[in-house]
Amino acid sequence: MSLIPRFVEYADAFEKAFESDDWSELEAFFDEDAVYEVGLPLLGASRCEGREAILAWFKDVLDRFDRRFDSRELRLLEGPKESGGEVWIRGTATYRAAGVPDFTLLLEETVRFEGDRIVHLEDRYSDEMIAATEAYLRDHGAKIGFETGSD
């Protein structure tokens, strides 16, 4: 049985949770002991362990970063592709706000499932993307009210 439909359900639920700010909607998608490798520690964490920590991290980082922009546009560039219990995608998130230039993050994400639950989520960014994010936050973070979090 393909994991891609479950991944799509998760992605849709994530966007609904982003809109409603009700992260409990994602509980059913994550194993209690799931691990999230954040990929951009400059946003405040490098790794979250456990479903509750992951859901708390989503709320925290989206409040501190994504919600500081007027809009956020997601674009799937490649995938989803399934292999060995994992689903992989490559995509962008473009952020726009008055008074600052648009910013586009390019990321790869791998989601490992056991059954229908996510046990490992990993976001990966190139060194160039990490440097561009650091530069953007250095130059424009104060203008959007960005504050770093804690690990």
Side-chain angles (χ1 to χ4, degrees):
M1 182 171 169
S2 175
L3 294 169
I4 290 175
R6 183 65 172 165
F7 173 81
V8 171
E9 286 178 35
Y10 161 69
D12 289 344
F14 185 96
E15 289 309 306
K16 287 177 187 169
F18 177 73
E19 290 300 319
S20 69
D21 206 25
D22 179 3
W23 296 96
S24 66
E25 295 182 27
L26 293 182
E27 288 177 5
F29 290 92
F30 284 91
D31 186 80
E32 184 178 334
D33 297 321
V35 173
Y36 177 29
E37 306 288 346
V38 176
L40 273 176
L42 62 111
L43 294 181
S46 57
R47 180 180 171 102
C48 297
E49 296 184 19
R51 177 176 48 224
E52 295 307 317
I54 293 168
L55 299 181
W57 168 252
F58 287 160
K59 176 172 178 35
D60 177 55
V61 75
L62 292 167
D63 285 349
R64 285 185 301 100
F65 186 77
D66 297 54
R67 294 185 197 285
R68 300 297 177 163
F69 293 88
D70 299 330
S71 68
R72 167 178 158 272
E73 178 184 343
L74 305 177
R75 184 168 168 229
L76 184 64
L77 301 177
E78 244 184 295
K81 294 179 184 176
E82 182 177 348
S83 176
E86 296 182 342
V87 176
W88 172 89
I89 63 164
R90 188 170 70 88
T92 60
T94 300
Y95 300 90
R96 294 180 178 87
V100 295
D102 293 356
F103 180 67
T104 300
L105 274 173
L106 173 65
L107 77 134
E108 291 185 30
E109 183 171 82
T110 302
V111 180
R112 185 176 346 123
F113 288 88
E114 286 184 9
D116 67 349
R117 298 275 179 127
I118 296 168
V119 295
H120 193 264
L121 172 65
E122 181 179 5
D123 290 345
R124 287 180 306 286
Y125 303 86
S126 69
D127 291 343
E128 295 80 12
M129 188 75 264
I130 292 169
T133 305
E134 290 171 343
Y136 187 88
L137 291 174
R138 181 184 61 244
D139 296 344
H140 307 291
K143 294 174 189 161
I144 61 169
F146 175 76
E147 299 175 18
T148 58
S150 60
D151 212 338

